[in-house]
Amino acid sequence: MSKNDETGGRRVWSGTRCLALAAAGLVICAGAAQAATITVSVWGGGYGAKWKKHAAEPFEKATGHKVVVDGGRSAVRLSKMKATKGKGTDVVFLTVHQMAILRDEGILTAIDPANVPNVSQLYDFAKDPLGGGMCPAITVLGAGLAYNKDHFDSPPTSWNDLFRKDLKGRPGYPVLSQSYSPLVMTRIAELHGGGIDDIGKGMAQLATIKDRVQLFRIFEILKAINQGDASIAPMLNIFVRKDPKVPLSFAWPKDGGVGVVNLACVTKASGNKAVAEQFLNFYLSAEHQARIAREAGDSPVNKTVPIPSGTVYNMVTPDQISRMHHYDATKIAAKLGGWLKRFQEEIVAK
């Protein structure tokens, strides 16, 4: 006889035969109820295609559940989540300050720690970035400098290299709606006497190159750097591979990059919270963190997982983690609307 009882957001099965996959943090029960479907909002494009292959499909194979991938740019997905109040989405992947916006709008729900025990294996900064047991980080990225190595005698070492007058090509800067752009702007402000509470110092510095800067989202600037039209731009490490055959290269500023923590959170509107939490536990397992690091270049937050040797990705190593600059996600979420308006007025309107 098979019977289930929904208790505290978890399904407890009796009269079934269960197989524990400890490495992936999963328990699969033969004869259990019909498989569930969860919808996961995640980044799209080439990353999304790899994510589906190396995250969604292994989970489906291991559990019998189905994952519907809702891919797209973070700013677009954030707007969609706000408009729908999370309805139709079970798990959402976003950068920490974007996730703070959804938290403040009441769209997210705290996880049940009993359903996500692999959180205990994470670096401390990744266990509960938003506070309140809301959701874990699933990877750590860093913003550094993408550059054309043919335009520099030696790799750039400072954010101030963006403002050099002797650049052979144009400097680039990500539009402020891009997930990591406000964080880099905060760092630039710090270097010029301001900071998170005085972003104007960063805006003023960027305004000095507004007549030649190429504003971008992501991939168009990488093409421009490779072609020599642009010389340098802030960029996430994950998007620049190690390839000696092309001019495009990547460097960390000498004092460390800007930390970008990506989270995965369960929505309050989810109709499959227990399965969504099972997916999070799977995603944080050592087995999966090693796979997604190897195949997609995501730097692991599970501290038991080493950086893969011989990787073609510029990954965030433990020594880089210790040197990164991180900023208050709640404060940035509260200020972002005003910053976007100011960016439009002072930088975009030339």
Side-chain angles (χ1 to χ4, degrees):
M1 178 179 180
S2 178
K3 183 179 180 181
N4 72 82
D5 176 37
E6 298 265 356
T7 306
R10 291 178 290 165
R11 281 182 176 169
V12 182
W13 299 96
S14 61
T16 60
R17 181 168 50 88
C18 295
L19 172 64
L21 301 182
L26 299 174
V27 177
I28 304 171
C29 299
Q34 185 176 357
T37 297
I38 59 170
T39 296
V40 181
S41 173
V42 72
W43 299 275
Y47 179 87
K50 283 188 175 182
W51 189 92
K52 182 177 181 180
K53 179 179 179 181
H54 299 299
E57 291 178 5
F59 177 75
E60 290 177 332
K61 183 177 180 180
T63 66
H65 298 307
K66 180 175 176 56
V67 177
V68 175
V69 179
D70 182 14
R73 291 189 294 109
S74 57
V76 174
R77 294 186 298 107
L78 175 61
S79 295
K80 179 180 178 181
M81 291 292 295
K82 290 169 66 178
T84 62
K85 299 297 181 183
K87 292 180 180 178
T89 302
D90 297 283
V91 180
V92 57
F93 283 60
L94 283 171
T95 299
V96 60
H97 69 272
Q98 295 174 316
M99 203 70 86
I101 294 172
L102 297 186
R103 176 202 61 193
D104 293 345
E105 298 227 354
I107 293 172
L108 307 178
T109 189
I111 60 172
D112 181 347
N115 287 346
V116 196
N118 283 331
V119 166
S120 65
Q121 297 183 21
L122 307 187
Y123 290 106
D124 287 342
F125 75 86
K127 291 178 179 178
D128 189 17
L130 286 181
M134 189 65 67
C135 40
I138 45 83
T139 187
V140 58
L141 298 89
L145 296 164
Y147 69 101
N148 185 309
K149 64 184 179 185
D150 296 336
H151 290 192
F152 292 84
D153 294 331
S154 58
T157 60
S158 169
W159 294 112
N160 285 328
D161 285 322
L162 292 166
F163 310 107
R164 285 171 48 173
K165 296 180 179 180
D166 63 343
L167 294 175
K168 295 179 181 179
R170 301 172 71 186
Y173 194 85
V175 295
L176 210 65
S177 59
Q178 196 68 39
S179 62
Y180 66 100
S181 182
L183 308 175
V184 174
M185 182 64 73
T186 303
R187 183 63 186 142
I188 292 172
E190 284 181 339
L191 294 173
H192 293 273
I196 197 169
D197 293 316
D198 184 9
I199 205 69
K201 295 292 197 304
M203 296 279 188
Q205 185 63 24
L206 188 59
T208 65
I209 58 171
K210 64 184 292 185
D211 291 335
R212 57 195 177 98
V213 71
Q214 179 175 336
L215 300 176
F216 66 90
R217 296 192 183 280
I218 282 287
F219 301 111
E220 64 267 28
I221 197 66
L222 300 181
K223 181 178 180 181
I225 291 174
N226 248 338
Q227 293 176 338
D229 298 328
S231 291
I232 188 171
M235 181 54 59
L236 292 173
N237 63 292
I238 195 172
F239 293 121
V240 184
R241 295 190 185 193
K242 301 172 184 176
D243 187 349
K245 297 178 182 178
V246 301
L248 178 65
S249 298
F250 182 85
W252 296 108
K254 62 183 179 181
D255 66 340
V258 171
V260 182
V261 181
N262 287 341
L263 278 58
C265 301
V266 179
T267 68
K268 192 174 292 185
S270 173
N272 295 293
K273 185 173 186 285
V275 177
E277 290 173 334
Q278 185 182 17
F279 178 76
L280 287 187
N281 198 52
F282 166 85
Y283 208 92
L284 298 174
S285 68
E287 178 183 351
H288 175 71
Q289 289 267 298
R291 175 173 52 243
I292 204 74
R294 183 177 62 251
E295 302 294 347
D298 279 4
S299 299
V301 290
N302 187 317
K303 61 187 177 183
T304 71
V305 179
I307 299 296
S309 61
T311 180
V312 299
Y313 296 98
N314 287 287
M315 300 187 72
V316 181
T317 58
D319 66 305
Q320 281 294 340
I321 288 176
S322 66
R323 297 168 60 204
M324 280 184 169
H325 301 273
H326 290 271
Y327 300 105
D328 187 324
T330 297
K331 187 172 285 190
I332 288 181
K335 292 176 176 289
L336 188 56
W339 290 2
L340 288 167
K341 184 175 183 293
R342 189 166 185 174
F343 187 85
Q344 186 69 28
E345 294 171 349
E346 298 182 21
I347 308 300
V348 178
K350 298 182 179 180

